[in-house]
Amino acid sequence: MMKNLTFLRIIFKKVFSFIFLPQRPQKTHKVYKGKVVFRDTLIYLPNIFLLAIALVMTSCQSVHKPGNQKQEKVDRYALVNRHPVIVTSFDTMSSLSVGNGDFAFTVDPTGLQTFPAYYENGIPLGTESDWGWHSFPNPHHYSLKDVMKNYQVDGREVPYVTAFKSPERKKLATEWLRENPHRIDLGKIGWDIRNENDSVISMNDIRHIHQKLDLWTGEIISHFTAAQEPVTVKTVCDQQEDEIAVHVQTHLLEEGRLAVKIRFPYASTQWDNACDWNSPDKHQTIILISGANHIVLKRIMDTTVYFVRLTWKGGAVCRQIKKQTFEIIPDKKDSVFSFTCSFSQHLPQPNHDDFDSTEGESSAAWKRFWTTGGVVDLSGSTDPRAKELERRIVLSQYLSRIQDAGIYPPQETGLTYNSWYGKFHLEMYFWHESHFALWDHVSLLEKSLSWYQQIASVGRETARRQGYQGIRWPKMTDPSGRESPSPIGPFLIWQEPHIIYMLELCYRDRPNKAFLEKYKDLVFGTADFMASYPWYDSLTKKPAFAKASAGRYVLGPALIPAQERYNRDSTINPTFELAYWYWGLSVAQTWRERLGLSRNPAWDQVMDHLSPLPVQQGVYLAAQSFPDTYTNPRYTTDHPSMLMAYGFLPLTKMADTTIMRATLEKVMKVWNWSGTWGWDYPMAAMTATRAGMPEQAIDALMMPVIKNTYLPDGHNYQRSNLRCYLPGNGSLLTAIALMCAGWDGYKGPADPGFPKNGKWKVRWEGLKKMP
């Protein structure tokens, strides 16, 4: 303290003398037409006085403001290169991917997709894009009208899309509408390697594997021997086009024993395998263009059409060896060969891309990614969990960049393989994408915002059909924005305010009127629905199913909360959704005020009279209608979403910090954590961080349960049929941003989510505060 006061006295003395002593003209300069021009300039005392005040205030801030302490600059190159992914065997849980956010390509240790069947029950070797979708024929013209059912809400009938098991037409309509459209695998690209007797090699013939994912350059380098011959393969992805580039060096080329094989499957709705290899007659692959060093193929699957362009450097021939299968056979003149393969919705234009140019462009793009935006360095920490946490952070940054940064919200398994038919779940949108804004890569988040504008009319029709105002966003959907039949999805509401939250995060990065004007209709349309959705429970009107809050606006029934364990017909006033409703409407009002508009009285009416968060014995319940939240085993699994009312959300008048601390302690003690999901641990860590409980934040974040497993390649494992789970990776990054940078108005110690026990050395750059 004395040192700080002495420093301030010295600063003040120097500034005081500088202000009041006569000043000489000062040499200043400016840049004019590329040249530095000097000129004599008098420094005026009023400006100096302002400068003095600024210096003193800055000095005070550096001493007292948390997070502003001067710290050693992070060596970003060293940080990223501490965590390369190394593969030394055919490990089904260690396949590696390259990608650009809209497209990803996953490989085995050969650097291509040579043995995809072996990986079907691991991290599959997929080739997926944001634009690659297919629908099976619909000769019976199934539509949402076939799967509508009315539910009672405040004395009126409200139609919902739901799932039917009978009668037959409704059952078949449910199945077709859930399964279509589905994401497709664009094609498998692998090596055709031969033994000396011309037999195709097996996995057992691949030895001495050493494969590395170089995170800094986004390149996979694969070394192995095949039929006792050394092979080196480099695999990269173009960062602008949906294209891979591959370079191979081996004497097998000179012996004519290595070729490139490209196979195209028919679409499949199988849970984790988008490939049907048993229906070659149901689709076509047509050679459109064939040249000396390139070929363009047209793919036709029912109404889905896309194009594949293959180019190569050096002598080679491309031939069709059977239906839907092609092969590039290099000349025997050299031990080096390279090729590119691009996929596109439209006929590709001729280009001059080759491996070298693609590799250079990709490396430069990845360097830009790692040298800008946020990073977190935990080296020097002595807590035994620190090294693994840093690994998870870095790999999650890479995976989110290649899997989640597309033009649409991601599916839960990204662009690796299909889950839920490749459709995206909008309640997961926040976990997938919010970290891009918090880690100063907001442009990657903005890519998917325009999709909300494209489907706003669909959401307005849903709200109108149900008797509400504004825009009701779907839960499980596809590029069309159409809701999918489900006994759960259409009754969720916590995806509704997400778009407000995401736009607010973007606005904080770019606070200007143009941004507000561009997206105001999404914010206001969302708020209009949120204000019209609750029903008003007057003093004389009591529902039979539960004791609602008289004289208050009520959420539910015909509602399933984020914790998907509760009955849609009896759930009212879930804690998190109440808090989110209030906060979302308050942010929408702030947007109106920023635009010079008056507050919307209907929104204020709901905010002022929204039901309070349900409390019992000093802790928050999951919902007002379920007082057995902590005693019924069914209700102590899945997401402990009551924690999100303060953690995921900032503090509002709806929540009480003392009650939330007690709730967190209760949840940590009684919850069945083996029945939770990958984003629950970061979510709990966020609540612990805001509640001033950093030890519990780290304990939650690193909880030793199966669904908090991070595989060698960085994927968040959940269960046998959900081996990667991108909401886990994204939520980790969001939580870390909060744990490091804090939130608006926070005035405590730096790095609020990390214990102050001397075991954690936290250095970070480029992170943004949360609201």
Side-chain angles (χ1 to χ4, degrees):
M1 184 66 180
M2 291 301 297
K3 289 182 178 179
N4 291 337
L5 290 174
T6 301
F7 175 75
L8 289 176
R9 282 197 294 268
I10 293 172
I11 290 291
F12 188 81
K13 183 178 180 180
K14 288 183 176 294
V15 171
F16 185 89
S17 62
F18 182 69
I19 294 171
F20 291 101
L21 290 177
Q23 301 298 310
R24 294 180 179 180
Q26 302 293 310
K27 286 284 187 180
T28 63
H29 71 275
K30 67 177 181 177
V31 177
Y32 179 71
K33 292 185 177 181
K35 297 181 179 179
V36 179
V37 180
F38 289 86
R39 62 180 181 178
D40 288 329
T41 304
L42 286 174
I43 298 182
Y44 294 98
L45 294 186
N47 292 336
I48 295 301
F49 186 71
L50 292 174
L51 175 63
I53 294 174
L55 284 171
V56 173
M57 291 180 65
T58 302
S59 299
C60 293
Q61 286 179 342
S62 67
V63 174
H64 298 294
K65 189 173 181 180
N68 273 13
Q69 292 88 344
K70 187 176 180 180
Q71 61 178 0
E72 181 184 349
K73 187 174 178 63
V74 173
D75 185 337
R76 292 173 175 243
Y77 180 81
L79 167 65
V80 173
N81 281 284
R82 279 200 292 273
H83 305 286
V85 184
I86 305 295
V87 177
T88 58
S89 66
F90 284 96
D91 179 354
T92 61
M93 295 296 179
S94 296
S95 49
L96 304 179
S97 302
V98 293
N100 58 26
D102 294 294
F103 167 84
F105 182 76
T106 304
V107 304
D108 62 26
T110 69
L112 288 180
Q113 301 162 329
T114 306
F115 301 102
Y118 182 72
Y119 284 80
E120 286 180 357
N121 295 317
I123 305 296
L125 309 183
T127 308
E128 293 198 339
S129 69
D130 261 349
W131 51 263
W133 295 81
H134 168 265
S135 289
F136 292 125
N138 183 16
H140 300 289
H141 306 290
Y142 298 125
S143 71
L144 291 183
K145 293 180 180 178
D146 292 308
V147 291
M148 290 288 181
K149 183 179 178 180
N150 288 341
Y151 289 82
Q152 280 283 329
V153 178
D154 189 28
R156 67 186 185 90
E157 299 284 326
V158 178
Y160 277 84
V161 174
T162 190
F164 288 86
K165 295 183 179 179
S166 65
E168 188 68 6
R169 179 175 174 86
K170 289 183 176 295
K171 174 180 177 292
L172 294 175
T174 295
E175 293 171 354
W176 194 92
L177 291 165
R178 275 185 67 80
E179 295 175 357
N180 294 279
H182 41 266
R183 206 180 296 256
I184 59 173
D185 191 298
L186 300 171
K188 292 282 187 280
I189 307 172
W191 300 116
D192 183 347
I193 306 176
R194 303 284 171 150
N195 289 305
E196 289 183 342
N197 63 5
D198 202 38
S199 62
V200 179
I201 65 165
S202 67
M203 276 176 38
N204 293 331
D205 299 315
I206 304 290
R207 299 181 180 178
H208 306 110
I209 293 169
H210 188 275
Q211 184 181 52
K212 175 184 176 181
L213 170 58
D214 186 332
L215 298 168
W216 189 259
T217 63
E219 185 170 52
I220 298 172
I221 303 109
S222 308
H223 301 283
F224 57 93
T225 60
Q228 301 181 351
E229 287 288 345
V231 182
T232 297
V233 178
K234 295 180 180 180
T235 311
V236 297
C237 179
D238 192 290
Q239 295 302 296
Q240 301 298 323
E241 306 293 333
D242 297 343
E243 176 181 84
I244 63 162
V246 181
H247 179 278
V248 59
Q249 182 171 2
T250 177
H251 290 299
L252 291 171
L253 289 165
E254 297 169 304
E255 298 172 12
R257 293 163 55 194
L258 184 143
V260 182
K261 182 182 288 186
I262 305 100
R263 299 186 299 149
F264 299 106
Y266 187 57
S268 169
T269 56
Q270 187 176 332
W271 170 265
D272 52 6
N273 186 355
C275 300
D276 175 1
W277 298 107
N278 299 316
S279 304
D281 295 329
K282 291 184 177 180
H283 55 121
Q284 301 177 63
T285 306
I286 301 170
I287 299 175
L288 285 185
I289 303 170
S290 181
N293 67 343
H294 68 278
I295 189 170
V296 177
L297 306 174
K298 182 179 182 179
R299 295 275 299 129
I300 304 172
M301 285 194 294
D302 302 309
T303 58
T304 296
V305 176
Y306 66 97
F307 299 86
V308 181
R309 178 184 175 89
L310 291 151
T311 63
W312 52 88
K313 190 173 184 180
V317 295
C318 183
R319 65 182 186 183
Q320 184 168 358
I321 57 177
K322 61 179 179 179
K323 274 190 174 182
Q324 321 307 347
T325 303
F326 293 76
E327 199 166 55
I328 302 175
I329 304 172
D331 286 348
K332 299 180 181 180
K333 296 178 181 179
D334 204 342
S335 61
V336 174
F337 182 71
S338 63
F339 71 93
T340 66
C341 182
S342 67
F343 302 87
S344 59
Q345 282 181 288
H346 308 289
L347 183 65
Q349 299 300 311
N351 63 56
H352 301 288
D353 286 351
D354 58 15
F355 175 82
D356 291 336
S357 62
T358 305
E359 181 188 40
E361 183 271 340
S362 175
S363 178
W366 277 105
K367 183 178 180 180
R368 286 193 299 272
F369 175 78
W370 291 117
T371 56
T372 59
V375 289
V376 175
D377 186 332
L378 301 178
S379 62
S381 300
T382 59
D383 189 296
R385 299 167 292 184
K387 184 177 181 180
E388 170 61 12
L389 178 55
E390 187 185 89
R391 183 187 78 91
R392 294 182 182 190
I393 293 169
V394 172
L395 292 181
S396 293
Q397 288 178 270
Y398 177 81
L399 289 172
S400 296
R401 175 64 185 87
I402 69 170
Q403 304 267 358
D404 283 0
I407 59 174
Y408 300 131
Q411 67 167 321
E412 295 192 12
T413 44
L415 297 169
T416 304
Y417 71 96
N418 280 1
S419 55
W420 291 279
Y421 314 105
K423 296 184 179 184
F424 20 98
H425 294 171
L426 288 196
E427 82 278 18
M428 292 294 102
Y429 183 56
F430 180 90
W431 294 128
H432 281 290
E433 303 271 315
S434 61
H435 63 88
F436 286 131
L438 299 172
W439 288 67
D440 203 17
H441 291 296
V442 71
S443 62
L444 299 179
L445 166 58
E446 285 189 89
K447 285 177 64 177
S448 58
L449 292 179
S450 61
W451 174 79
Y452 274 86
Q453 294 175 314
Q454 295 166 21
I455 70 155
S457 60
V458 179
R460 289 188 184 279
E461 174 56 25
T462 299
R464 185 205 62 77
R465 184 174 63 242
Q466 295 182 332
Y468 300 118
Q469 299 175 17
I471 305 170
R472 182 164 195 174
W473 303 108
K475 189 273 189 196
M476 175 176 161
T477 190
D478 57 72
S480 73
R482 190 197 71 201
E483 184 66 89
S484 298
S486 167
I488 297 174
F491 302 92
L492 267 63
I493 62 169
W494 69 288
Q495 74 274 16
E496 185 69 22
H498 280 353
I499 186 62
I500 295 178
Y501 207 147
M502 305 297 258
L503 287 169
E504 179 68 7
L505 291 177
C506 292
Y507 173 79
R508 289 157 67 92
D509 182 78
R510 196 169 305 159
N512 58 65
K513 188 173 182 180
F515 186 87
L516 297 172
E517 290 286 353
K518 182 176 181 179
Y519 291 110
K520 66 181 181 182
D521 290 344
L522 296 184
V523 172
F524 298 164
T526 301
D528 284 339
F529 171 78
M530 292 173 65
S532 66
Y533 176 80
W535 58 276
Y536 188 73
D537 176 32
S538 67
L539 292 173
T540 58
K541 187 176 182 180
K542 294 282 187 179
F545 54 81
K547 294 181 179 179
S549 303
R552 294 284 183 175
Y553 283 96
V554 177
L555 300 181
L559 181 157
I560 294 177
Q563 185 187 357
E564 298 173 9
R565 289 292 184 268
Y566 297 98
N567 188 297
R568 65 189 171 218
D569 299 319
S570 56
T571 297
I572 62 164
N573 288 336
T575 293
F576 166 55
E577 282 79 357
L578 282 171
Y580 207 4
W581 237 240
Y582 179 88
W583 186 79
L585 287 171
S586 69
V587 174
Q589 293 284 36
T590 300
W591 272 55
R592 290 186 62 85
E593 291 168 344
R594 289 168 180 161
L595 286 164
L597 303 173
S598 61
R599 292 175 69 88
N600 186 307
W603 303 352
D604 274 339
Q605 172 71 12
V606 173
M607 291 171 61
D608 293 342
H609 298 90
L610 197 60
S611 295
L613 307 189
V615 179
Q616 181 174 274
Q617 297 180 350
V619 297
Y620 288 119
L621 298 173
Q624 181 177 324
S625 46
F626 297 97
D628 55 345
T629 294
Y630 300 100
T631 56
N632 187 332
R634 173 175 171 77
Y635 300 154
T636 55
T637 62
D638 202 55
H639 315 299
S641 59
M642 70 288 288
L643 298 180
M644 299 170 74
Y646 180 50
F648 174 96
L649 293 175
L651 185 64
T652 68
K653 75 173 189 177
M654 298 287 286
D656 180 275
T657 57
T658 300
I659 297 174
M660 185 56 78
R661 288 190 189 98
T663 303
L664 177 62
E665 291 173 351
K666 181 81 169 180
V667 168
M668 296 299 288
K669 182 178 179 180
V670 308
W671 218 254
N672 177 8
W673 288 99
S674 64
T676 50
W677 290 75
W679 59 264
D680 288 318
Y681 321 109
M683 178 268 287
M686 293 169 71
T687 299
T689 297
R690 291 202 196 243
M693 304 163 71
E695 295 278 0
Q696 290 87 338
I698 291 293
D699 288 345
L701 197 64
M702 303 302 291
M703 191 175 294
V705 292
I706 288 177
K707 289 188 176 180
N708 201 27
T709 299
Y710 281 70
L711 299 173
D713 58 9
H715 279 301
N716 180 206
Y717 179 91
Q718 298 297 287
R719 62 191 187 204
S720 61
N721 71 342
L722 196 59
R723 282 92 61 188
C724 70
Y725 186 66
L726 273 299
N729 300 95
S731 61
L732 171 70
L733 296 177
T734 297
I736 288 294
L738 180 74
M739 293 168 69
C740 289
W743 55 94
D744 294 346
Y746 173 72
K747 297 180 180 179
D751 315 318
F754 288 86
K756 307 303 182 285
N757 56 13
K759 296 181 180 181
W760 290 92
K761 181 181 179 181
V762 182
R763 293 182 297 146
W764 55 268
E765 297 171 355
L767 300 179
K768 303 295 185 68
K769 290 183 177 182
M770 287 194 74

